[in-house]
Amino acid sequence: MTTQVSKALLVRLEALPGREDDVRDFLNQGLSIVEGEPKTVRWFGIQFGPSSFGIFDAFPDDDGRQAHLSGEVAKALGDNTGELFEEPMIEQLDVVAEKQPA
């Protein structure tokens, strides 16, 4: 059975000029990190436009979200701010409805 989610994060990343491929690589590496986070039950690396990227992830509760915000991906975001992308914009969201994976 798939875990229902109630909390989420939307992180927007604007790549520094010429660093777009590096941001894509960063997102792919992030996926391997969150695979070890049992309360990060949905995770997507996304691209909005040529240099605009993001992360959307969802959690069963606020404890899971807070654990993620203090975890390795958050540390990596801080370490790469100013190197790969501008200051990330992090939005904490409530999930109103979802279609669970099959």
Side-chain angles (χ1 to χ4, degrees), residues 1-6 41-44 56 58 95-102:
M1 181 168 175
T2 304
T3 304
Q4 187 172 3
V5 298
S6 65
V41 296
R42 313 278 194 287
W43 193 94
F44 301 88
F56 176 80
V95 175
V96 175
E98 72 169 310
K99 178 186 181 288
Q100 292 191 352

Side-chain angles (χ1 to χ4, degrees), residues 29-62:
Q29 292 168 7
L31 176 59
S32 65
I33 294 170
V34 297
E35 287 176 347
E37 295 181 0
K39 285 199 157 194
T40 303
V41 296
R42 313 278 194 287
W43 193 94
F44 301 88
I46 54 181
Q47 188 167 2
F48 298 107
S51 62
S52 297
F53 297 85
I55 299 168
F56 176 80
D57 39 13
F59 314 89
D61 53 35
D62 197 52

Side-chain angles (χ1 to χ4, degrees), residues 66-83:
Q66 294 307 316
H68 180 72
L69 284 169
S70 62
E72 292 300 313
V73 173
K75 182 181 180 313
L77 282 171
D79 291 347
N80 287 283
T81 297
E83 295 289 323

Side-chain angles (χ1 to χ4, degrees), residues 8 19 26 37-38 55-56 59 62-63 65 70 87 90 93:
R19 301 306 301 262
F26 173 83
E37 295 181 0
I55 299 168
F56 176 80
F59 314 89
D62 197 52
D63 288 342
R65 178 168 61 188
S70 62
E87 185 73 32
I90 301 172
L93 312 170

